């Protein structure tokens, strides 16, 4: 019957092979899952050991903090008492400061007008300083102009002097100081009255009686003019007396041995 019905039977080799393959895959997956589970269990034990160690450390720290807290409690009580004492002292000091400020506040109120006046002075000073700055700028500008004028005057004076000397070199002078002639003299002695002084130049130096001289000190041109008149003239000395003309200097301000320049300006009767 078997052999007669063989054409009606199917072969199960393929199904068996597939079942064996499935069983092998299942066994391999089981082994992999088993290894993975073992690793997870090992890691879990390891983490549990770490956590147990951390718990023990925390427990030790907790016990230490509790011990420290027992020590800190009396210290905190002491600090609270000291704080209360300091607060009382602070209140007392604040009260003293307040009492000490009362005279100061009264003095400040009393001097308030002075403070206001001082502030007004400061404001006025600022305004005056601004005005002074403007005036200084103007003065600097005028100073520059004055310097330029002085240079122009020096140039004009130099030109005048050179031209004068050039002209006078062609003029025949008399045997005495002529009008405009300049001579250097030395004060030998000043009169006690202060009205004149003696010099060591006389007739031999060209000085004559009643000559009028304009006095110049060491080429200084910006002083008030001083006029002198020869009242006593000898061969080797003369006496020069102060002579007032218009707004000329009325005080003789010279000293013994001082060098002066005398410029003849004219006789006393023709000085005007």
């Amino acid at each position: 019957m078997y052999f007669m019905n063989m054409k009606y039977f199917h072969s199960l080799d393929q199904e068996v092979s597939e079942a064996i393959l499935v069983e092998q895959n299942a066994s391999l997956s089981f082994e992999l899952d088993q290894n993975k589970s073992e690793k997870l269990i090992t890691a879990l034990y390891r983490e549990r050991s770490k956590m147990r160690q951390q718990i023990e450390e925390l427990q030790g720290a907790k016990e230490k903090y509790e011990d420290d807290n027992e020590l800190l409690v009396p210290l905190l009580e002491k600090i609270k008492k000291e704080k209360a004492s300091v607060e009382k002292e602070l209140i007392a000091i604040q009260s003293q400061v307040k009492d000490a400020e009362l005279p100061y506040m009264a003095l400040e109120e009393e001097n308030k007008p002075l403070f206001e006046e001082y502030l007004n002075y400061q404001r006025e000073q600022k305004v005056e300083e601004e005005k002074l700055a403007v005036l200084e700028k103007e003065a600097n500008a005028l100073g520059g102009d004055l310097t330029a004028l002085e240079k122009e005057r020096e140039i004009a004076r130099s030109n005048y002097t050179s031209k004068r000397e050039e002209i006078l070199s062609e003029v025949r002078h008399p045997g005495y100081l002529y009008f405009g002639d300049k001579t250097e003299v030395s004060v030998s002695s000043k009169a006690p009255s202060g009205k004149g002084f003696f010099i060591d130049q006389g007739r031999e130096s060209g000085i004559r009686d009643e000559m009028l001289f304009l006095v110049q000190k060491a080429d200084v041109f910006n002083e008030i003019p001083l006029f002198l008149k020869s009242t006593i003239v000898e061969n080797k000395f003369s006496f020069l007396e102060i002579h007032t003309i218009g707004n000329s200097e009325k005080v003789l301000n010279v000293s013994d041995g001082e060098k002066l320049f005398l410029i003849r300006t004219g006789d006393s009767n023709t000085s005007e």
Side-chain angles (χ1 to χ4, degrees):
M1 294 244 353
Y2 174 76
F3 288 107
M4 290 176 66
N5 294 304
M6 282 184 64
K7 60 180 179 180
Y8 298 105
F9 289 104
H10 296 285
S11 177
L12 297 176
D13 292 338
Q14 184 175 358
E15 285 81 354
V16 172
S17 297
E18 291 176 355
I20 291 171
L21 181 61
V22 170
E23 190 269 338
Q24 291 177 349
N25 291 333
S27 298
L28 181 61
S29 297
F30 176 75
E31 290 179 0
L32 293 174
D33 292 340
Q34 187 177 8
N35 291 335
K36 186 175 181 181
S37 298
E38 289 177 355
K39 290 181 180 179
L40 290 173
I41 292 170
T42 302
L44 181 62
Y45 282 137
R46 193 173 297 162
E47 289 295 327
R48 187 179 69 176
S49 177
K50 289 182 180 178
M51 292 181 64
R52 184 178 298 167
Q53 184 178 359
Q54 290 178 356
I55 289 171
E56 291 177 355
E57 291 177 353
L58 290 172
Q59 186 68 28
K62 176 185 176 184
E63 293 176 357
K64 183 177 182 300
Y65 289 148
E66 289 176 352
D67 295 338
D68 292 341
N69 189 31
E70 291 179 359
L71 296 174
L72 289 174
V73 168
L75 183 61
L76 290 174
E77 291 295 329
K78 181 179 179 181
I79 291 174
K80 288 181 180 179
K81 291 180 180 178
E82 291 180 353
K83 179 183 176 183
S85 176
V86 170
E87 287 178 349
K88 290 181 180 179
E89 292 180 0
L90 179 61
I91 292 172
I93 291 173
Q94 287 177 344
S95 177
Q96 293 176 2
V97 170
K98 188 174 181 181
D99 294 339
E101 286 179 347
L102 292 176
Y104 172 75
M105 294 175 64
L107 184 62
E108 183 179 5
E109 186 67 24
E110 182 181 352
N111 292 327
K112 189 174 182 179
L114 293 177
F115 292 148
E116 292 293 334
E117 186 176 357
Y118 173 71
L119 294 176
N120 291 333
Y121 282 147
Q122 283 187 327
R123 288 189 286 267
E124 292 177 0
Q125 182 180 1
K126 187 176 181 180
V127 173
E128 295 299 328
E129 287 177 352
E130 292 176 354
K131 292 180 180 179
L132 179 60
V134 174
L135 292 176
E136 285 179 349
K137 290 182 180 179
E138 295 177 355
N140 291 333
L142 292 175
D145 295 341
L146 179 60
T147 301
L149 290 174
E150 287 178 348
K151 290 182 179 179
E152 292 180 3
R153 185 179 68 177
E154 290 297 329
I155 294 173
R157 183 175 183 81
S158 177
N159 293 335
Y160 164 76
T161 302
S162 61
K163 189 66 176 178
R164 179 178 178 276
E165 291 177 353
E166 179 182 349
I167 293 173
L168 290 177
S169 63
E170 300 176 358
V171 177
R172 184 175 180 179
H173 288 262
Y176 53 88
L177 292 177
Y178 197 65
F179 300 110
D181 286 344
K182 181 193 295 187
T183 183
E184 183 179 0
V185 299
S186 177
V187 179
S188 60
S189 63
K190 185 177 177 181
S193 63
K195 294 183 178 180
F197 56 85
F198 288 94
I199 60 174
D200 293 333
Q201 288 85 355
R203 289 185 176 275
E204 294 180 356
S205 300
I207 299 176
R208 299 292 184 269
D209 294 328
E210 300 296 322
M211 281 187 174
L212 189 65
F213 298 98
L214 173 65
V215 181
Q216 187 180 94
K217 294 185 179 181
D219 292 332
V220 177
F221 305 100
N222 56 357
E223 291 185 351
I224 298 175
L226 173 66
F227 291 95
L228 297 173
K229 185 172 66 172
S230 56
T231 56
I232 300 174
V233 180
E234 298 295 336
N235 288 334
K236 296 185 179 295
F237 71 90
S238 302
F239 181 77
L240 304 180
E241 186 178 338
I242 189 169
H243 191 74
T244 302
I245 299 177
N247 294 324
S248 64
E249 182 64 61
K250 299 176 177 60
V251 179
L252 187 62
N253 187 17
V254 296
S255 57
D256 294 349
E258 184 176 357
K259 299 289 184 180
L260 302 174
F261 291 96
L262 303 181
I263 303 174
R264 189 186 174 198
T265 61
D267 296 335
S268 60
N269 58 355
T270 59
S271 60
E272 295 181 358

